[in-house]
Amino acid sequence: RVLSLEAKVAGYEQELEWCKKDHLELVEQLSQKDVEHEALVDFFEEERQGFIWHINTLQSEREQYLQRIEGHETSTETTHKEVSRLLQIADGARRELLTAQKQRDEAQKEIASIRSDVSSLQAKHQRTQEQLVAIRRDWKKAVEEKERVCEELDTLQPKLQNMDKW
């Protein structure tokens, strides 16, 4: 019976040796799997960091594009406002020009009327001058006639006085 127990113990020891050997192989495999796992974790962590960097880069570019778009929108909006303001100024200037043209036309009509009045007054003045020349001529004749009549009177007066004496 001791031999049988010793054989059993030897079988168990053999099994224990195989189990230890299997255990060591499993520990070695597990260690290898841990190394592989760590390598995969590191690889995927690097990939994750690469993706994060790429995502951040894309977000940064997106922000830059959005800012450029906003800048263009603001610039376009500012340009539209400036164009609108310039159009309003141009409309105001056009209205002022039309008003000035109407005033010019009215002034030209008034100038034509004044020229007509001036022509009429010049014609009147010419006639008045002619009448004045005629009046002066007539006045001169009248003065000459008066002087002649006075001379005649002067020559006739002594004769009249002589007649009175008679």
Side-chain angles (χ1 to χ4, degrees):
R1 194 167 173 201
V2 169
L3 282 177
S4 152
L5 283 176
E6 281 182 2
K8 275 187 177 182
V9 167
Y12 288 136
E13 284 177 352
Q14 184 63 39
E15 264 187 66
L16 182 62
E17 283 301 315
W18 289 335
C19 284
K20 282 182 183 178
K21 187 178 172 188
D22 286 345
H23 175 72
L24 286 176
E25 283 177 14
L26 288 173
V27 166
E28 183 64 31
Q29 286 176 359
L30 185 60
S31 175
Q32 185 63 32
K33 293 290 179 190
D34 281 345
V35 168
E36 289 174 8
H37 178 267
E38 282 298 316
L40 285 174
V41 166
D42 289 346
F43 171 77
F44 284 118
E45 181 60 25
E46 286 177 20
E47 286 294 308
R48 187 178 81 82
Q49 292 299 323
F51 284 127
I52 289 172
W53 177 84
H54 191 64
I55 288 169
N56 289 338
T57 301
L58 290 174
Q59 283 179 336
S60 175
E61 287 176 4
R62 178 181 173 266
E63 287 299 317
Q64 288 174 356
Y65 285 124
L66 287 175
Q67 288 174 356
R68 286 166 116 183
I69 289 169
E70 287 174 10
H72 287 302
E73 286 173 352
T74 302
S75 176
T76 302
E77 186 177 315
T78 302
T79 302
H80 285 305
K81 286 180 182 177
E82 187 65 17
V83 166
S84 177
R85 186 181 73 78
L86 291 174
L87 286 173
Q88 288 175 348
I89 290 171
D91 285 344
R94 195 176 3 257
R95 283 191 298 274
E96 287 178 20
L97 178 63
L98 289 174
T99 301
Q101 286 173 340
K102 285 179 185 176
Q103 290 173 346
R104 183 199 64 204
D105 292 345
E106 290 172 9
Q108 285 177 338
K109 287 178 186 175
E110 196 170 324
I111 288 170
S113 174
I114 290 170
R115 283 184 179 153
S116 173
D117 291 348
V118 165
S119 292
S120 176
L121 287 173
Q122 284 175 337
K124 253 186 191 177
H125 176 70
Q126 182 65 34
R127 285 191 304 272
T128 305
Q129 286 294 332
E130 290 169 0
Q131 287 173 350
L132 187 57
V133 166
I135 289 170
R136 282 187 182 150
R137 188 179 55 237
D138 290 346
W139 179 76
K140 253 187 176 176
K141 284 182 184 177
V143 166
E144 287 174 1
E145 182 69 26
K146 176 189 156 207
E147 286 176 0
R148 190 185 58 73
V149 167
C150 283
E151 282 177 15
E152 264 184 52
L153 270 177
D154 284 345
T155 58
L156 285 177
Q157 195 163 13
K159 289 181 184 178
L160 277 174
Q161 281 175 354
N162 277 340
M163 280 174 111
D164 276 343
K165 290 182 187 176
W166 289 355

